[in-house]
Amino acid sequence: MSEIKELQLKVTELEKQLEKQKKTNKILKERVKKNTHSTGDSFSIFERNIALQKKIASRTHDLEAAEAANKAKSEFLANMSHEIRTPMNGVIGMTGLLLDTNLDKEQLEYAETVRNSANALLNLINDILDFSKIDAGQLDLEILCFNLNTTIEELNDPLAMRAHKKGLDYVSIIDPDVPLLLRGDPSRLRQIINNLVGNAIKFTAKGEIVIHITNLSEKGNKVTLRFSIKDTGISIAENKQNNIFELFTQADASTTRKFGGTGLGLAISKQLAEMMGGSIGVNSIEGRGSTFWFTVVLEKRSQQESLPEINRMDIKDKNILIVDDNATNRKWLSILLKKWGCRSSEAASAKQALELLEEGILQKAPYDIALLDMQMPEMDGETLGRTIKEKELLKDALLVMLTSLGNRGDAVRFQKSGFDAYLTKPVKQSHLYDCILTILNSKLKSVAQKEKQIITRYVLAENRNKKRRILVVEDNIVNQKIAIKILEKYGYRVNAVANGQEALHALKLASYDLVLMDCQMPVMDGYEATKEIRNSNSKVMNNKIFVIAMTANAMKGDREKCINAGIDDYIAKPINPQALKKTIERWLELRR
Ligand code: ADP
């Protein structure tokens, strides 16, 4: 990879030369102007002007040649990175298969090292590909509708896992006045956040990582959002704070440095933030960690108000106790509960929680639910739960366990300790909401303790999916079966038809939440069927139903064809169950 690094350095060097030449040209042009206006020996002025003009012409020629060479180099890099990816996929794919076979301990360790190294190399290649694409002006943003909350929650899962593995607390907060239904490039947004949070985790040994999203300003249908990522890590010296956003620059450039990396991440993030109409920066105080921030301008979508405010009435005015030793976590939960119209109090320890719960009952303002964090010093959440249940006065309290460590058998254990629900952190807003609602409802129905099932995120997802209906449109019977099997596994209600015409018929008769549409089909293909669904004169029940296409070849141009037909999104065949699940959830979430 050092060749690539060298090439990139050469490109940077060339750019500097270009800048210099541009400046010289400007000076030369100004001299010509001056000479033309000044009096004096007209003949020599004439000669000097000719000479200067020749010089300008030659410099301009050099400039154009250098610019072309620069562009060619970036294009070469972009192509080459692409070429490298193909064999890399072979290495990673085959290592994956190898790891599924019976290996002894030593072989397993070797194969895992190969996989980890290959993944690291692929990440590096992706970074270089991105950078050269931006540099060659080939990177276009892909503007899509997205839900900011879903985008952030999707990111939170893997990042929080990495943070928790290092013993760090991880919290992400979206301010209540931040619009969630937006148009922009969610995957590039994710890329910047991933980079910054990835760094924050890498450079922090203890403490917490906090992502905070705020609304800076709104103008017409545009909103400027600010994302800040705060860590309690090694911090960055003031004189290094500007440089780190440059290509291949690291705060610690010594050969003995402790942390790996290429120095590309921040440079890419900077370019991406600027492409999205924003900027990037860092505040860091020695010994107190760093806060990286960036801003982007996004478009608001008109149906903001379609968020389920009516639903939110269900838990309005409920009184909830938040028990967590981490102040940022408590703050996040109280912001969220306030948004839903709940009342809440905070306890920073088990002892304080017991006091508040008792006080609530004695004052005739009992708490409806207590949210307990598992990892607390002195007395952990589970012991606190058991203690509450042992006290006559408090034994009817509804308890929810929030834990960053998810282990097999937890659900059964927590149920035995008296918990009504258990969710793993980072807790998705919609999960917490559904969880509170579900346990309040089961209390209303006074389900006997014995028959009670502890609420987990799987139970919640199943309950949610049971209410959702999906139409699969696919002529190939085998593919149809596969799609149905996958969707049913996730708890959705599914019907299937064999072509576009049958799909239109089905959509006239019943109401569905989403259509999974094959593109090539006999009688009527997926494009034509979707055009007809979108036609306001057609008799389908919902012109705006989400349509996700399944395409065999994700060729350039396919996407345009899908978008022109009114298809919302597409997934590539062969269908990957996880990818299908994620795509469907993402779209169904948009309507929440
Ligand atoms: P890489 O992490 O691959 O080296 P980046 O461009 O992402 O490249 O970061 C450049 C440098 O900025 C890092 O090498 C590190 O010195 C510094 N840096 C970035 N994020 C942090 C952070 N959260 N805390 C301390 N230093 C950081």
Side-chain angles (χ1 to χ4, degrees), residues 82-96:
H82 212 82
E83 288 305 315
I84 299 172
R85 286 170 60 95
T86 315
M88 278 308 294
N89 281 334
V91 174
I92 291 172
M94 284 314 204
T95 318

Side-chain angles (χ1 to χ4, degrees), residues 200 203-204 229-236 282-285 288-292:
F203 294 107
T204 303
I229 290 95
K230 180 176 152 289
D231 66 46
T232 46
I234 61 169
S235 63
I236 304 162
V282 62
N283 307 318
S284 185
I285 299 173
R288 302 245 294 266
S290 317
T291 302
F292 277 83

Side-chain angles (χ1 to χ4, degrees), residues 306-498:
S306 71
L307 282 169
E309 289 307 328
I310 326 134
N311 258 350
R312 303 264 136 113
M313 298 297 287
D314 302 342
I315 67 169
K316 199 165 177 265
D317 289 332
K318 295 294 172 204
N319 195 12
I320 297 182
L321 180 66
I322 304 164
V323 190
D324 196 326
D325 59 311
N326 181 296
T328 322
N329 259 326
R330 292 198 305 269
K331 182 175 153 200
W332 174 71
L333 286 168
S334 71
I335 290 179
L336 204 60
L337 292 170
K338 192 166 166 218
K339 192 165 97 176
W340 296 336
C342 297
R343 288 172 291 145
S344 71
S345 310
E346 299 178 22
S349 67
K351 186 167 165 275
Q352 199 187 356
L354 288 166
E355 283 165 12
L356 283 174
L357 283 170
E358 281 176 3
E359 201 181 294
I361 294 200
L362 297 176
Q363 306 278 333
K364 304 234 170 324
Y367 291 96
D368 294 289
I369 293 178
L371 308 176
L372 313 188
D373 180 41
M374 175 66 188
Q375 288 79 30
M376 288 192 294
E378 289 158 35
M379 189 192 283
D380 68 22
E382 193 179 357
T383 320
L384 173 60
R386 274 203 304 269
T387 315
I388 293 173
K389 289 287 159 176
E390 279 161 10
K391 288 190 187 270
E392 189 52 34
L393 192 62
L394 304 179
K395 71 176 187 334
D396 291 331
L398 294 176
L399 303 180
V400 179
M401 167 65 86
L402 306 178
T403 171
S404 48
L405 311 164
N407 286 315
R408 263 180 194 283
D410 275 354
V412 178
R413 229 186 58 226
F414 291 141
Q415 183 162 23
K416 274 197 187 138
S417 302
F419 285 85
D420 298 272
Y422 124 85
L423 297 173
T424 43
K425 290 199 272 184
V427 178
K428 291 191 165 60
Q429 288 191 24
S430 55
H431 288 183
L432 184 62
Y433 180 83
D434 287 351
C435 169
I436 293 177
L437 189 64
T438 314
I439 57 177
L440 286 173
N441 278 343
S442 64
K443 188 185 177 191
L444 277 183
K445 285 190 218 141
S446 55
V447 181
Q449 185 69 31
K450 267 194 300 192
E451 290 159 32
K452 255 197 200 167
Q453 180 192 17
I454 188 164
I455 306 297
T456 63
R457 60 171 156 176
Y458 302 102
V459 177
L460 293 171
E462 255 180 35
N463 285 349
R464 211 172 24 238
N465 292 352
K466 260 187 229 157
K467 294 183 211 131
R468 273 140 179 200
R469 246 177 122 161
I470 296 180
L471 182 67
V472 173
V473 191
E474 164 71 82
D475 61 316
N476 180 307
I477 293 297
V478 177
N479 286 344
Q480 203 186 76
K481 272 200 182 135
I482 294 175
I484 295 175
K485 271 235 158 71
I486 297 175
L487 294 171
E488 281 181 346
K489 196 179 128 204
Y490 294 127
Y492 293 107
R493 287 156 62 197
V494 194
N495 292 103
V497 291

Side-chain angles (χ1 to χ4, degrees), residues 82-131:
H82 212 82
E83 288 305 315
I84 299 172
R85 286 170 60 95
T86 315
M88 278 308 294
N89 281 334
V91 174
I92 291 172
M94 284 314 204
T95 318
L97 291 180
L98 182 66
L99 279 163
D100 284 341
T101 62
N102 277 334
L103 300 178
D104 66 31
K105 209 170 151 240
E106 195 180 4
Q107 289 167 332
L108 190 72
E109 198 185 312
Y110 294 161
E112 271 173 355
T113 312
V114 173
R115 184 177 55 186
N116 292 344
S117 314
N119 278 331
L121 186 54
L122 191 66
N123 281 341
L124 177 60
I125 293 165
N126 283 342
D127 274 357
I128 294 176
L129 178 66
D130 269 349
F131 199 84

